[in-house]
């Protein structure tokens, strides 16, 4: 059965999630059929309906799950109790880890929202807003220049810019340890670079406000 050795340790529903995410990321939601997802986990396409109502439900499960996971983990990291600077560092680290270790999911997160049903899309947007607000609050605590009402849009724009930077990793990270050095950084090198770039972006945003004062 296709992928059976690698997938057998996972519950069937999680196998389906993993393979659906891989296929949707590789070819797009509209380019993948239910039968293909079933084949990837070693069951018939109709057999998937015992676990999901259909392909739309798989996409909703993945995208809502991603957003819930990011928000829950973000709240945990931000509430670590070691102060705002440590909280921001932890938030950056968590998002970098997600982008590097779950590249299929980060691709879906960026590309497939419009293929959700309206109700599911609203749920994802609500969760995403909560995640953005969490970051904006922490960034403004770390950088006093961004605390004033006029600076709030700058802080928000910087958060979105950092998300865009980190979420670009599916296009820039090398494929694996056997790659040649021209094809991209290895995982740990990319993590260090993204971490530094994210901190630099927030510092630059704060400096831009100071320069205009």
């Amino acid at each position: 059965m296709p992928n059976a050795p690698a997938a057998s340790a996972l519950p069937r529903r999680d196998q389906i999630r993993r393979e659906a995410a891989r296929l949707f990321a590789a070819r797009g939601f509209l380019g993948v059929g239910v039968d293909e997802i079933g084949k990837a986990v070693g069951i018939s396409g109709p057999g998937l309906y015992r676990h999901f109502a259909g392909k739309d439900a798989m996409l909703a499960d993945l995208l809502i799950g991603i957003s819930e996971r990011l928000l829950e983990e973000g709240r945990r990291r931000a509430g670590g109790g070691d102060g705002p600077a440590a909280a921001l560092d932890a938030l950056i680290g968590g998002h970098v880890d997600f982008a590097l270790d779950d590249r299929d999911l980060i691709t879906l997160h960026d590309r497939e929202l419009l293929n959700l049903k309206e109700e599911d899309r609203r749920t994802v947007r609500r969760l995403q807003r909560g995640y953005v607000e969490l970051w904006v609050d922490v960034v403004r605590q770390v950088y006093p220049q961004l605390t004033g009402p006029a600076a709030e849009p700058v802080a928000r724009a910087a958060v979105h810019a950092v998300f865009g930077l980190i979420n670009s990793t599916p296009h820039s990270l090398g494929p694996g340890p056997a790659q040649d050095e021209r094809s991209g950084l290895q995982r740990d090198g990319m993590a260090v670079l993204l971490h530094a770039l994210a901190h630099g972006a927030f510092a630059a945003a704060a400096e831009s406000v100071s320069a205009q004062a």
Side-chain angles (χ1 to χ4, degrees):
M1 294 190 299
N3 295 337
S8 58
L10 290 174
R12 181 68 80 184
R13 188 175 174 90
D14 289 336
Q15 293 176 35
I16 295 168
R17 285 190 181 107
R18 185 186 66 180
E19 294 304 319
R22 180 181 65 82
L23 290 166
F24 292 160
R27 300 213 309 275
F29 174 74
L30 299 179
V32 176
V34 171
D35 288 343
E36 293 175 84
I37 299 170
K39 182 178 180 182
V41 295
I43 61 177
S44 66
L48 292 177
Y49 294 112
R50 292 196 296 271
H51 304 278
F52 292 95
K55 198 171 73 163
D56 288 345
M58 292 178 210
L59 183 64
D61 179 88
L62 287 167
L63 289 180
I64 292 173
I66 293 165
S67 299
E68 289 175 337
R69 171 181 161 189
L70 284 171
L71 181 56
E72 180 180 349
E73 179 65 9
R75 286 171 172 164
R76 187 188 69 79
R77 288 172 176 265
D82 294 323
L88 180 58
D89 195 64
L91 283 173
I92 293 170
H95 200 98
V96 167
D97 286 343
F98 169 62
L100 295 179
D101 297 335
D102 293 288
R103 282 188 271 175
D104 290 341
L105 294 180
I106 208 73
T107 298
L108 295 184
H109 187 266
D110 286 347
R111 193 178 65 193
E112 298 292 350
L113 186 62
L114 291 178
N115 285 313
L116 285 179
K117 294 179 179 178
E118 179 61 31
E119 180 179 356
D120 293 327
R121 189 159 57 244
R122 285 198 299 268
T123 297
V124 171
R125 290 295 193 199
R126 174 178 54 79
L127 292 165
Q128 289 177 337
R129 285 195 298 272
Y131 188 56
V132 169
E133 293 306 318
L134 177 68
W135 277 67
V136 170
D137 181 59
V138 172
V139 167
R140 297 181 82 194
Q141 291 180 54
V142 174
Y143 293 99
Q145 304 96 313
L146 299 174
T147 56
E152 190 270 347
V154 177
R156 188 174 303 279
V159 168
H160 282 290
V162 166
F163 288 169
L165 170 71
I166 297 173
N167 291 354
S168 70
T169 54
H171 310 291
S172 54
L173 186 65
Q179 69 189 30
D180 76 40
E181 62 183 10
R182 294 171 298 173
S183 61
L185 287 174
Q186 293 284 354
R187 192 258 186 226
D188 290 347
M190 181 63 79
V192 171
L193 176 61
L194 289 172
H195 215 100
L197 290 173
H199 277 296
F202 290 129
E207 289 172 10
S208 74
V209 172
S210 296
Q212 296 172 19

